[in-house]
Amino acid sequence: MTTFATSPVIIGDGAMPAAREYIVQNFGVSDGVLAVCDTNTEPIAKSVFGTTERYVFPGDAIADPELAAPLEERAAAKKLLVAVGAGTIHDLVRYTAHKLGLPFISLPTAPSVDGFVSGVAAMTVGGQKITFEAVPPLALFAEPSIFMSAPPELVAAGVGDMLGKYISLFDWKVSSVVTGERFDGDIYMLERDALEKVVSSEPGSPDFGVLLMRALVASGLAMQAYGSSRPASGSEHHLSHLWEMHCINEPVSALHGEKVGVATLILLALYREIERPVLRKNIYEREYLLPVFGRLTDGIIRENLPDPLDGITQQRLDMLASELQKEISSLPEPGLLKSFMNACGCKQTIASIELPTEPDFLFKTLEFAPYVRRRVTMLKLCRIC
Ligand SMILES: [Zn+2]
């Protein structure tokens, strides 16, 4: 049985009293505790922890190490940090906790992302998303009366992040078949079960929010167990990361999960059309990447080398064609996903997340997204458009 770094994980009625009890039992008096929230989640921090000291970020804060610096100062004398918020607050807290060598616990206030129990912090440095080594929370407590009152767009974003697993699991399987990348059947099933529980549930039903939160946390635990985001992040996240780097587009206000949801629909349609996988040529030359990635180019080249597709030939793809085709035909129809996304209020088109609608933009997205990470995906491996 897999043991997780985050334990206990309590999602259900009574999670907040359990959190208070956990803190008293393990960390004693409350003056060693700092609750970290933003102006949106401050009322929740107040109602759960009363007079416990709080650090409050602005409601529109981004996970920028510069923003974390004053928190680091306030947290230095503490014994425990408590993240009371959604994804950004968790990244700021886990980044700071790691820097100070402090433990933290997670109190997610919205089922919006799957990174609550993640061991890495996704920070934005000078407009670029950079993953920093950090610590996962010691424990997670999620109270339905709190996270089910989250704004509907945060819930829809959580659905988008979860649906992306169709692509990330597919990409992982494809890479394991073609490159022999490490694959773990138990972790695959943990992630797959989480995804299936969400898509087989009824959006808007009383227990939908709880199911979604459970699935998102399970996805985070799958990443924890594997030791990287591999099970939960493939080319759908690479599209989203590329858009977040603002190399081919202006910044947009869409949430992470909204972008992942739109990317998932784009890739599903294209992946399902692959008849014969044709090896793609990835070009790691400065002149080719510079016009798109600008000052980020050298970092992009470093990220990608040594080329993970070295030694992979068209002959190998042809040899594996039937195995790959089996995986392709297991992908769901985009139409089915769209009706589920409709029911959840998810954004589904490039235009709905305020990105350019010209065909050239989509072409550029598909051409350059595979360079964002070294990770092998079907998009990095094959020509799909
Ligand atoms: Zn995500």
Side-chain angles (χ1 to χ4, degrees), residues 114 161 165 237 256 260:
D114 68 352
D161 205 19
K165 311 317 172 203
H237 273 77
H256 167 76
V260 171

PDB file of all heavy atoms in Angstrom, residues 114 161 165 237 256 260, ligand 1:
ATOM      1  N   ASP A 114      -5.798  20.675  -8.718  1.00  0.00           N
ATOM      2  CA  ASP A 114      -5.437  19.393  -8.082  1.00  0.00           C
ATOM      3  C   ASP A 114      -4.106  19.472  -7.346  1.00  0.00           C
ATOM      4  O   ASP A 114      -3.544  18.466  -6.976  1.00  0.00           O
ATOM      5  CB  ASP A 114      -5.422  18.264  -9.119  1.00  0.00           C
ATOM      6  CG  ASP A 114      -4.302  18.412 -10.128  1.00  0.00           C
ATOM      7  OD1 ASP A 114      -3.637  19.464 -10.126  1.00  0.00           O
ATOM      8  OD2 ASP A 114      -4.088  17.478 -10.912  1.00  0.00           O
ATOM      9  N   ASP A 161      -9.498  21.110 -14.832  1.00  0.00           N
ATOM     10  CA  ASP A 161      -8.204  20.552 -14.438  1.00  0.00           C
ATOM     11  C   ASP A 161      -8.303  19.020 -14.378  1.00  0.00           C
ATOM     12  O   ASP A 161      -7.384  18.306 -14.782  1.00  0.00           O
ATOM     13  CB  ASP A 161      -7.791  21.114 -13.072  1.00  0.00           C
ATOM     14  CG  ASP A 161      -6.277  21.095 -12.863  1.00  0.00           C
ATOM     15  OD1 ASP A 161      -5.534  20.992 -13.858  1.00  0.00           O
ATOM     16  OD2 ASP A 161      -5.831  21.186 -11.699  1.00  0.00           O
ATOM     17  N   LYS A 165      -7.008  15.048 -17.283  1.00  0.00           N
ATOM     18  CA  LYS A 165      -6.340  13.769 -17.014  1.00  0.00           C
ATOM     19  C   LYS A 165      -6.550  12.762 -18.151  1.00  0.00           C
ATOM     20  O   LYS A 165      -5.788  11.810 -18.278  1.00  0.00           O
ATOM     21  CB  LYS A 165      -6.805  13.149 -15.693  1.00  0.00           C
ATOM     22  CG  LYS A 165      -6.801  14.076 -14.479  1.00  0.00           C
ATOM     23  CD  LYS A 165      -5.568  14.946 -14.364  1.00  0.00           C
ATOM     24  CE  LYS A 165      -5.718  15.972 -13.254  1.00  0.00           C
ATOM     25  NZ  LYS A 165      -4.851  17.138 -13.425  1.00  0.00           N
ATOM     26  N   HIS A 237      -1.495  20.484 -20.192  1.00  0.00           N
ATOM     27  CA  HIS A 237      -0.870  21.476 -19.312  1.00  0.00           C
ATOM     28  C   HIS A 237       0.218  22.258 -20.052  1.00  0.00           C
ATOM     29  O   HIS A 237       0.467  23.414 -19.739  1.00  0.00           O
ATOM     30  CB  HIS A 237      -0.312  20.813 -18.049  1.00  0.00           C
ATOM     31  CG  HIS A 237      -1.342  20.705 -16.950  1.00  0.00           C
ATOM     32  ND1 HIS A 237      -2.332  19.757 -16.973  1.00  0.00           N
ATOM     33  CD2 HIS A 237      -1.553  21.441 -15.831  1.00  0.00           C
ATOM     34  CE1 HIS A 237      -3.113  19.913 -15.897  1.00  0.00           C
ATOM     35  NE2 HIS A 237      -2.654  20.938 -15.191  1.00  0.00           N
ATOM     36  N   HIS A 256      -6.485  28.737 -14.288  1.00  0.00           N
ATOM     37  CA  HIS A 256      -5.666  27.606 -14.742  1.00  0.00           C
ATOM     38  C   HIS A 256      -6.531  26.460 -15.294  1.00  0.00           C
ATOM     39  O   HIS A 256      -6.335  25.991 -16.419  1.00  0.00           O
ATOM     40  CB  HIS A 256      -4.802  27.121 -13.573  1.00  0.00           C
ATOM     41  CG  HIS A 256      -4.147  25.803 -13.812  1.00  0.00           C
ATOM     42  ND1 HIS A 256      -3.056  25.672 -14.630  1.00  0.00           N
ATOM     43  CD2 HIS A 256      -4.456  24.546 -13.386  1.00  0.00           C
ATOM     44  CE1 HIS A 256      -2.708  24.390 -14.679  1.00  0.00           C
ATOM     45  NE2 HIS A 256      -3.543  23.691 -13.932  1.00  0.00           N
ATOM     46  N   VAL A 260      -6.849  24.630 -19.008  1.00  0.00           N
ATOM     47  CA  VAL A 260      -6.593  23.188 -19.172  1.00  0.00           C
ATOM     48  C   VAL A 260      -7.806  22.515 -19.821  1.00  0.00           C
ATOM     49  O   VAL A 260      -7.655  21.652 -20.698  1.00  0.00           O
ATOM     50  CB  VAL A 260      -6.258  22.536 -17.806  1.00  0.00           C
ATOM     51  CG1 VAL A 260      -6.215  21.013 -17.918  1.00  0.00           C
ATOM     52  CG2 VAL A 260      -4.922  23.054 -17.286  1.00  0.00           C
TER      53      VAL A 260
HETATM   54 ZN    ZN B   1      -3.472  21.615 -13.372  1.00  0.00          ZN
END
